[in-house]
Amino acid sequence: MKPCLLVPILLVSCAASRADDWGSIRGQIVVEGEIPERPLLIARGAGIKDTAVCAAEDHYAEDMIIDKESKGLANVFVYLAKKPKNIHPDLIEVSDKPVSFEIVGCQFKPHALFCRAGGQIEVKGTDTIAHNHHLYPLKNSSSCSLVSPGGGTDLYRPQVAESLPFTVRCDFHTWMSGYWLIVDHPYAALTDKDGKFSINNLPVGDHEFKIWHERVGYVERKHKVTVSAGDPVELPVMKLDITRLQK
Protein backbone atom coordinates (compact mmCIF):
# COMPACT_ATOMS: atom_id res chain seq x y z
CA MET A 1 0.00 0.00 0.00
CA LYS A 2 2.83 2.45 0.72
CA PRO A 3 4.01 2.72 -2.92
CA CYS A 4 0.43 3.55 -4.00
CA LEU A 5 0.27 6.38 -1.46
CA LEU A 6 3.70 7.74 -2.32
CA VAL A 7 3.23 8.08 -6.09
CA PRO A 8 0.62 10.89 -6.13
CA ILE A 9 2.43 12.73 -3.33
CA LEU A 10 5.66 12.76 -5.33
CA LEU A 11 3.90 13.98 -8.48
CA VAL A 12 2.29 16.89 -6.67
CA SER A 13 5.57 17.77 -4.97
CA CYS A 14 7.49 17.82 -8.27
CA ALA A 15 4.88 19.97 -10.00
CA ALA A 16 4.93 22.47 -7.12
CA SER A 17 8.71 22.58 -7.24
CA ARG A 18 8.71 23.37 -10.96
CA ALA A 19 6.27 26.21 -10.51
CA ASP A 20 8.04 27.73 -7.52
CA ASP A 21 11.66 27.42 -8.62
CA TRP A 22 11.64 29.64 -11.72
CA GLY A 23 11.08 33.30 -12.46
CA SER A 24 11.67 36.01 -15.05
CA ILE A 25 13.08 39.53 -15.19
CA ARG A 26 12.31 42.54 -17.35
CA GLY A 27 14.45 45.65 -17.68
CA GLN A 28 15.37 48.67 -19.74
CA ILE A 29 18.58 50.64 -20.29
CA VAL A 30 18.19 54.26 -21.33
CA VAL A 31 20.59 57.10 -22.05
CA GLU A 32 20.53 60.44 -20.24
CA GLY A 33 21.73 63.61 -21.91
CA GLU A 34 21.58 65.07 -25.40
CA ILE A 35 21.23 62.25 -27.91
CA PRO A 36 23.57 62.72 -30.89
CA GLU A 37 22.74 61.87 -34.47
CA ARG A 38 24.10 58.55 -35.66
CA PRO A 39 27.23 59.21 -37.72
CA LEU A 40 27.03 58.49 -41.43
CA LEU A 41 29.50 55.69 -41.94
CA ILE A 42 29.31 55.33 -45.72
CA ALA A 43 27.39 57.65 -48.01
CA ARG A 44 25.47 56.30 -50.95
CA GLY A 45 27.71 56.22 -54.00
CA ALA A 46 30.91 56.72 -52.01
CA GLY A 47 34.10 55.79 -53.81
CA ILE A 48 34.99 52.77 -51.71
CA LYS A 49 35.84 49.15 -52.42
CA ASP A 50 32.92 47.36 -54.09
CA THR A 51 30.94 50.58 -54.40
CA ALA A 52 28.00 49.04 -56.27
CA VAL A 53 27.21 46.79 -53.30
CA CYS A 54 28.74 48.48 -50.29
CA ALA A 55 27.59 52.01 -51.14
CA ALA A 56 24.24 51.17 -52.70
CA GLU A 57 22.65 53.10 -49.82
CA ASP A 58 23.67 55.19 -46.83
CA HIS A 59 25.10 53.20 -43.92
CA TYR A 60 25.11 54.57 -40.40
CA ALA A 61 27.38 53.58 -37.54
CA GLU A 62 26.00 50.76 -35.40
CA ASP A 63 28.21 51.05 -32.35
CA MET A 64 25.78 53.39 -30.56
CA ILE A 65 22.12 53.06 -31.52
CA ILE A 66 19.83 55.16 -29.32
CA ASP A 67 16.11 55.58 -29.93
CA LYS A 68 15.27 59.28 -29.79
CA GLU A 69 11.81 58.76 -28.29
CA SER A 70 12.41 56.09 -25.66
CA LYS A 71 16.12 56.98 -25.17
CA GLY A 72 16.70 53.23 -25.16
CA LEU A 73 20.18 51.90 -25.97
CA ALA A 74 20.23 48.90 -28.31
CA ASN A 75 22.66 45.98 -28.40
CA VAL A 76 23.57 45.90 -24.73
CA PHE A 77 24.51 42.40 -23.55
CA VAL A 78 22.87 41.32 -20.27
CA TYR A 79 23.91 37.89 -19.02
CA LEU A 80 24.48 35.81 -15.92
CA ALA A 81 28.08 36.08 -14.77
CA LYS A 82 28.34 32.33 -14.32
CA LYS A 83 26.36 29.21 -15.08
CA PRO A 84 23.80 28.56 -12.34
CA LYS A 85 23.56 25.26 -10.55
CA ASN A 86 20.01 24.75 -11.80
CA ILE A 87 18.74 25.33 -15.35
CA HIS A 88 15.10 25.12 -16.33
CA PRO A 89 14.34 21.66 -17.77
CA ASP A 90 13.14 23.15 -21.05
CA LEU A 91 16.45 24.97 -21.51
CA ILE A 92 19.03 22.35 -20.58
CA GLU A 93 19.59 21.06 -24.10
CA VAL A 94 21.46 23.29 -26.54
CA SER A 95 19.38 23.84 -29.67
CA ASP A 96 20.48 22.21 -32.92
CA LYS A 97 19.15 25.22 -34.83
CA PRO A 98 22.01 27.55 -35.79
CA VAL A 99 22.00 31.19 -34.78
CA SER A 100 21.76 33.27 -37.96
CA PHE A 101 24.40 35.87 -38.89
CA GLU A 102 23.97 37.37 -42.35
CA ILE A 103 26.08 39.65 -44.50
CA VAL A 104 23.79 42.06 -46.33
CA GLY A 105 24.92 45.16 -48.21
CA CYS A 106 28.34 44.99 -46.59
CA GLN A 107 26.88 44.96 -43.10
CA PHE A 108 26.61 42.22 -40.49
CA LYS A 109 23.04 41.39 -39.46
CA PRO A 110 22.47 41.29 -36.58
CA HIS A 111 25.18 43.57 -35.28
CA ALA A 112 25.29 41.65 -31.99
CA LEU A 113 24.28 38.14 -30.99
CA PHE A 114 24.80 35.46 -28.38
CA CYS A 115 25.13 31.71 -28.78
CA ARG A 116 25.47 28.86 -26.32
CA ALA A 117 28.67 26.85 -26.18
CA GLY A 118 28.08 23.64 -28.10
CA GLY A 119 25.70 25.39 -30.47
CA GLN A 120 26.50 26.83 -33.86
CA ILE A 121 26.40 30.11 -35.73
CA GLU A 122 25.59 30.08 -39.43
CA VAL A 123 27.26 32.88 -41.36
CA LYS A 124 25.56 33.50 -44.69
CA GLY A 125 26.64 35.89 -47.42
CA THR A 126 23.81 37.26 -49.54
CA ASP A 127 25.92 39.88 -51.35
CA THR A 128 27.24 39.36 -54.86
CA ILE A 129 30.78 39.96 -53.59
CA ALA A 130 33.02 37.95 -51.27
CA HIS A 131 33.44 38.68 -47.58
CA ASN A 132 35.08 36.98 -44.67
CA HIS A 133 34.31 36.84 -40.98
CA HIS A 134 37.42 37.21 -38.86
CA LEU A 135 36.78 36.26 -35.24
CA TYR A 136 38.76 37.41 -32.21
CA PRO A 137 37.66 35.19 -29.29
CA LEU A 138 39.61 34.86 -26.06
CA LYS A 139 38.93 31.18 -25.36
CA ASN A 140 37.41 29.59 -28.45
CA SER A 141 39.35 28.85 -31.59
CA SER A 142 39.98 31.89 -33.75
CA SER A 143 38.66 31.78 -37.29
CA CYS A 144 39.02 33.71 -40.52
CA SER A 145 36.76 32.11 -43.10
CA LEU A 146 35.76 33.20 -46.58
CA VAL A 147 32.06 33.61 -47.27
CA SER A 148 31.40 33.10 -50.97
CA PRO A 149 29.16 35.50 -52.91
CA GLY A 150 25.47 34.87 -53.44
CA GLY A 151 24.51 32.56 -50.61
CA GLY A 152 27.79 31.07 -49.39
CA THR A 153 27.64 29.81 -45.80
CA ASP A 154 30.02 28.89 -43.04
CA LEU A 155 29.31 27.28 -39.67
CA TYR A 156 31.14 28.26 -36.50
CA ARG A 157 30.85 25.94 -33.50
CA PRO A 158 31.98 27.56 -30.23
CA GLN A 159 32.91 25.03 -27.57
CA VAL A 160 33.43 27.07 -24.39
CA ALA A 161 31.93 30.17 -22.80
CA GLU A 162 33.57 33.56 -23.17
CA SER A 163 33.70 36.04 -20.31
CA LEU A 164 33.07 38.95 -22.71
CA PRO A 165 31.66 39.51 -26.19
CA PHE A 166 34.32 39.42 -28.89
CA THR A 167 34.74 41.27 -32.17
CA VAL A 168 33.85 39.95 -35.61
CA ARG A 169 35.27 41.80 -38.64
CA CYS A 170 35.52 41.58 -42.40
CA ASP A 171 39.10 42.07 -43.59
CA PHE A 172 37.92 43.00 -47.08
CA HIS A 173 35.69 45.84 -45.86
CA THR A 174 37.23 47.18 -42.68
CA TRP A 175 34.21 49.19 -41.48
CA MET A 176 32.23 45.97 -41.04
CA SER A 177 32.15 44.81 -37.43
CA GLY A 178 29.92 42.98 -34.99
CA TYR A 179 30.02 41.29 -31.59
CA TRP A 180 29.34 37.74 -30.48
CA LEU A 181 28.95 36.43 -26.94
CA ILE A 182 29.29 32.73 -26.15
CA VAL A 183 27.61 31.55 -22.95
CA ASP A 184 27.36 28.14 -21.26
CA HIS A 185 23.80 28.71 -20.05
CA PRO A 186 20.55 30.07 -21.54
CA TYR A 187 20.34 33.21 -19.41
CA ALA A 188 21.44 36.02 -21.70
CA ALA A 189 19.71 38.79 -23.63
CA LEU A 190 20.34 41.79 -25.86
CA THR A 191 18.47 45.05 -25.48
CA ASP A 192 16.12 45.95 -28.34
CA LYS A 193 15.74 49.34 -30.04
CA ASP A 194 14.00 50.74 -26.93
CA GLY A 195 16.69 49.39 -24.61
CA LYS A 196 14.38 46.70 -23.26
CA PHE A 197 15.31 43.11 -22.44
CA SER A 198 13.82 40.07 -20.77
CA ILE A 199 15.19 36.79 -19.47
CA ASN A 200 12.80 33.98 -18.63
CA ASN A 201 12.84 30.77 -16.57
CA LEU A 202 15.67 31.82 -14.29
CA PRO A 203 16.21 29.87 -11.08
CA VAL A 204 14.66 31.68 -8.13
CA GLY A 205 17.20 33.40 -5.87
CA ASP A 206 20.00 35.96 -5.94
CA HIS A 207 22.03 36.40 -9.12
CA GLU A 208 24.75 38.61 -10.54
CA PHE A 209 24.54 39.81 -14.13
CA LYS A 210 27.16 41.33 -16.36
CA ILE A 211 26.01 44.27 -18.46
CA TRP A 212 28.28 45.15 -21.40
CA HIS A 213 28.23 47.48 -24.39
CA GLU A 214 30.89 47.93 -27.05
CA ARG A 215 31.25 51.67 -26.44
CA VAL A 216 31.60 51.34 -22.68
CA GLY A 217 32.85 47.88 -21.94
CA TYR A 218 31.28 46.96 -18.63
CA VAL A 219 28.23 49.06 -17.90
CA GLU A 220 28.14 47.01 -14.70
CA ARG A 221 30.30 44.05 -13.73
CA LYS A 222 28.07 42.78 -10.94
CA HIS A 223 24.45 43.81 -11.28
CA LYS A 224 22.63 42.04 -8.44
CA VAL A 225 19.09 40.83 -8.99
CA THR A 226 16.75 38.77 -6.82
CA VAL A 227 14.52 36.54 -8.92
CA SER A 228 11.19 35.44 -7.49
CA ALA A 229 8.52 33.09 -8.79
CA GLY A 230 5.31 34.29 -10.36
CA ASP A 231 5.02 37.52 -12.32
CA PRO A 232 8.22 38.85 -13.94
CA VAL A 233 10.41 40.99 -11.73
CA GLU A 234 10.39 44.51 -13.20
CA LEU A 235 13.85 45.97 -12.65
CA PRO A 236 14.39 49.69 -12.11
CA VAL A 237 15.24 51.48 -15.34
CA MET A 238 19.01 51.67 -15.69
CA LYS A 239 20.18 55.14 -16.73
CA LEU A 240 23.45 55.62 -18.56
CA ASP A 241 24.93 59.09 -19.01
CA ILE A 242 25.72 59.92 -22.62
CA THR A 243 29.27 60.89 -21.66
CA ARG A 244 30.05 57.23 -20.91
CA LEU A 245 29.24 56.36 -24.50
CA GLN A 246 31.24 59.12 -26.15
CA LYS A 247 34.81 58.31 -27.18
Side-chain angles (χ1 to χ4, degrees):
M1 295 296 294
K2 287 184 179 180
C4 295
L5 293 174
L6 283 173
V7 170
I9 293 173
L10 284 173
L11 290 174
V12 172
S13 175
C14 290
S17 175
R18 286 196 296 271
D20 294 342
D21 288 348
W22 313 104
S24 303
I25 62 172
R26 304 284 186 273
Q28 185 180 25
I29 300 174
V30 301
V31 177
E32 290 188 311
E34 185 176 351
I35 307 303
E37 296 290 336
R38 282 176 66 186
L40 179 62
L41 192 63
I42 297 172
R44 181 178 180 179
I48 58 173
K49 179 179 173 64
D50 297 318
T51 297
V53 176
C54 296
E57 59 184 45
D58 290 340
H59 291 310
Y60 292 86
E62 296 188 301
D63 61 345
M64 186 173 65
I65 301 177
I66 305 169
D67 183 78
K68 288 190 174 182
E69 292 186 7
S70 66
K71 303 297 178 74
L73 178 63
N75 294 325
V76 182
F77 290 88
V78 182
Y79 56 106
L80 273 186
K82 63 179 181 179
K83 182 179 180 179
K85 181 179 179 181
N86 297 318
I87 292 178
H88 191 279
D90 293 344
L91 303 175
I92 292 174
E93 296 296 326
V94 178
S95 174
D96 293 333
K97 183 179 179 180
V99 178
S100 177
F101 189 69
E102 292 191 322
I103 303 173
V104 183
C106 299
Q107 287 186 300
F108 291 136
K109 299 293 182 183
H111 178 69
L113 63 77
F114 63 87
C115 178
R116 288 178 68 176
Q120 51 189 353
I121 300 170
E122 181 182 51
V123 182
K124 182 176 182 179
T126 61
D127 289 344
T128 56
I129 57 175
H131 295 280
N132 73 354
H133 58 103
H134 195 164
L135 312 181
Y136 296 86
L138 295 174
K139 298 180 180 179
N140 286 278
S141 60
S142 59
S143 174
C144 184
S145 300
L146 180 71
V147 182
S148 303
T153 61
D154 184 71
L155 284 177
Y156 181 72
R157 297 178 174 84
Q159 298 302 311
V160 295
E162 299 279 348
S163 57
L164 293 170
F166 60 82
T167 308
V168 184
R169 295 192 183 278
C170 175
D171 296 321
F172 303 158
H173 310 94
T174 55
W175 64 87
M176 292 174 58
S177 68
Y179 284 87
W180 295 359
L181 173 65
I182 311 303
V183 289
D184 57 2
H185 55 72
Y187 302 117
L190 279 158
T191 56
D192 64 15
K193 73 175 188 64
D194 294 315
K196 294 182 178 180
F197 66 91
S198 62
I199 302 177
N200 299 322
N201 292 318
L202 284 151
V204 166
D206 296 329
H207 299 285
E208 286 186 352
F209 288 85
K210 292 182 179 182
I211 303 176
W212 189 97
H213 184 267
E214 63 185 280
R215 276 275 189 143
V216 181
Y218 282 118
V219 176
E220 284 197 26
R221 289 176 181 266
K222 297 181 179 181
H223 188 72
K224 297 182 179 180
V225 174
T226 299
V227 176
S228 56
D231 293 336
V233 175
E234 298 289 344
L235 305 178
V237 174
M238 181 176 293
K239 298 178 180 180
L240 186 64
D241 195 278
I242 187 63
T243 57
R244 292 189 64 188
L245 292 164
Q246 293 170 328
K247 296 181 179 179

